[in-house]
Amino acid sequence: SHPYRIAAMKKTYLLFLPILFFSCMESSEKVEMERLLGAWMHEFSNENETIESTISFKADGTYIIENRRVQSAEGFNPGLIDAFKGKYNLEAGKLTFSDRIFFFAEDFVNPPATIEALQQRENVKYPKESANVSFEENNQVMVLLYDCPGPEPEEDEMLVACLGLGPLPYTRVKNF
């Protein structure tokens, strides 16, 4: 009777192993998603201007990317020069941006202060964009490494140039 009990215990263990594994995976994905929530900022600078790029990830699976000029050597005023809105998904360390809508400042020299004052680019479908994501400095820095080239665009989507920027560190500026 003793060997039978051991065999029965092994079968029971093997039955619960996939459930245990799946629930651990699910909770680790949830932890990754919670780490992502909030607003993150990366500053780009060249000899002409400084741009603050802020990505805000919300719990409902949507994001906003705002690119704000904070300084210009060419006499351009500070303000919001463009933005993207859309949906995001995080799976196994891969962040995917989809359903992207682009907004732009009509007056590049005097851009507005808010996204509501930007113009939406109509009748243009943008392809998905993906990046590997990692966190550093006790989850206060998010590093994005964009896939270059990204996912293949659908037939009706605009072809977007790949910049190949390398790892981009974003500092957490707000928790949601």
Side-chain angles (χ1 to χ4, degrees), residues 55-111:
I55 307 176
S56 299
F57 295 101
K58 298 179 182 175
D60 66 0
T62 61
Y63 75 91
I64 298 173
I65 298 175
E66 295 180 318
N67 294 308
R68 186 173 302 281
R69 181 188 307 124
V70 292
Q71 175 275 324
S72 170
E74 299 177 324
F76 296 159
N77 289 320
L80 191 58
I81 53 176
D82 63 34
F84 274 99
K85 283 184 175 183
K87 296 179 182 173
Y88 73 90
N89 183 41
L90 178 63
E91 198 171 300
K94 178 72 75 177
L95 182 61
T96 303
F97 298 98
S98 61
D99 300 330
R100 298 169 39 192
I101 301 169
F102 181 65
F103 299 85
F104 62 96
E106 281 188 298
D107 184 351
F108 190 76
V109 176
N110 298 298

Side-chain angles (χ1 to χ4, degrees), residues 144-155:
L144 295 181
L145 180 57
Y146 284 91
D147 294 336
C148 199
E152 196 65 33
E154 300 292 324
E155 204 172 289

